Amino acid sequence: MSYGQGEPPWDPWKPGSQQPQWGNQSTSDTPDWAALADASASRNKRRRLLLIVGGAVATVAVGTAVAIAVVSANSGSDGKPTNSLPGSADLPGGSTSAAEPSFDPTSAPPPLDPLEFISSAKKDKAALSPDTLFPGSQVTLNERVYTKHARSSTTDCASAVRGTLPKALTANGCTRVMRVTYTTKGGVAVTVGVAVFDTADDATKARKATDDKSILTSLPGSGIDPFCRTSVCRTTRNSVGRYAYFTLGGFSGGKDVTTKDTKVFTAGDDLAEYTFRQIHRRGESQASAAASK
């Protein structure tokens, strides 16, 4: 019989433990070290492969988680970047109400009305004279200089006026008439008259009772010759509070006033406005003094 006849063939792809046993080999329990080495190498290869695949999956998962965390931390509820810290109410222990002190509501008293003080003799107690109402030796109005001359004060109201004005004043309780005369360039002279009453109603009634024939008597003196006694002159009349005030303007030389004599009209308007402001200022000073008490 030839060599090897009847023996099973050797398979190179199988481990030693699975190879057929030759007839002269021992069947004892001695370990097959080659087979064990092959099995160990196979397990290690499979373990390395699983670690590589698992590591790649884990890296992708961690990267996704980090990306989601970054986007969530830098996004507001509206999808826009949040560049400011949360308000104090959103912080632990924060409170907006505790940071703002509260005070009881207060309000300043309304200012006193100057007109109230010059509308009644009961409240209009400040000193009153031609010099207190028209102080100084001259006044500049709208860049025009007016020089003060004669002044007078009388409780006989009818003696200081002419025409229909005496009746208008006395019928409504006039208590006093003060007059002051001013001059300006061009020989223009203007007498200002202020009639005093107890109440604003009396002064208003007296003014409404006047007409174009209600004329203030001019006041010459202190270097001013008589004027507007026989010549044509320009007059104005008005009232504020318990005061009615009038002007009579013309030329100190006795010349008649015409519509072309704008200087006379301007002087009368300037001094009428000045008189109004002085009376109102009287009310302001008394209102201020009362408010400071």
Side-chain angles (χ1 to χ4, degrees):
M1 178 173 74
S2 61
Y3 175 78
Q5 184 179 3
E7 295 293 337
W10 176 266
D11 188 351
W13 302 104
K14 292 181 180 181
S17 61
Q18 298 178 11
Q19 296 293 337
Q21 302 296 320
W22 300 97
N24 60 349
Q25 287 183 328
S26 175
T27 59
S28 66
D29 293 334
T30 301
D32 188 346
W33 297 109
L36 292 174
D38 291 341
S40 177
S42 179
R43 286 194 302 272
N44 291 335
K45 183 178 181 180
R46 287 196 301 271
R47 187 179 295 112
R48 286 195 301 270
L49 181 60
L50 290 174
L51 289 174
I52 293 172
V53 173
V57 173
T59 301
V60 173
V62 171
T64 303
V66 171
I68 292 174
V70 171
V71 170
S72 300
N74 292 311
S75 298
S77 60
D78 57 356
K80 297 179 180 179
T82 301
N83 296 322
S84 60
L85 292 173
S88 59
D90 298 329
L91 296 174
S95 174
T96 55
S97 60
E100 298 178 0
S102 60
F103 301 95
D104 294 333
T106 59
S107 59
L112 300 177
D113 185 3
L115 187 61
E116 181 180 345
F117 286 84
I118 58 174
S119 293
S120 171
K122 294 180 180 180
K123 300 195 71 171
D124 190 8
K125 297 295 186 179
L128 181 61
S129 70
D131 285 328
T132 59
L133 197 58
F134 302 99
S137 59
Q138 65 180 27
V139 61
T140 301
L141 307 172
N142 299 316
E143 300 182 353
R144 290 177 286 272
V145 178
Y146 296 91
T147 302
K148 186 171 71 174
H149 296 274
R151 51 266 205 195
S152 72
S153 177
T154 179
T155 56
D156 184 4
C157 297
S159 65
V161 295
R162 297 184 294 151
T164 59
L165 191 52
K167 181 179 179 180
L169 298 183
T170 56
N172 290 285
C174 176
T175 60
R176 188 177 181 185
V177 171
M178 297 176 291
R179 289 178 294 168
V180 176
T181 296
Y182 288 91
T183 60
T184 188
K185 292 181 179 180
V188 176
V190 179
T191 294
V192 179
V194 178
V196 185
F197 300 84
D198 286 337
T199 67
D201 287 341
D202 294 337
T204 299
K205 291 176 182 178
R207 176 182 58 79
K208 290 182 176 180
T210 63
D211 54 29
D212 291 341
K213 295 182 180 180
S214 299
I215 302 172
L216 182 70
T217 302
S218 63
L219 182 65
S222 300
I224 301 297
D225 295 331
F227 64 100
C228 293
R229 296 297 176 92
T230 58
S231 58
V232 176
C233 289
R234 194 247 183 166
T235 65
T236 68
R237 53 191 184 272
N238 213 326
S239 67
V240 58
R242 69 187 188 108
Y243 302 90
Y245 56 98
F246 311 87
T247 67
L248 177 69
F251 293 102
S252 58
K255 175 185 174 183
D256 289 340
V257 175
T258 68
T259 55
K260 295 180 180 181
D261 295 317
T262 57
K263 289 183 179 180
V264 175
F265 286 79
T266 298
D269 292 343
D270 282 350
L271 289 166
E273 181 183 356
Y274 175 62
T275 302
F276 167 81
R277 294 206 314 266
Q278 288 299 100
I279 296 172
H280 194 271
R281 187 174 292 117
R282 176 181 174 85
E284 289 176 341
S285 63
Q286 293 182 91
S288 178
S292 62
K293 290 182 179 179

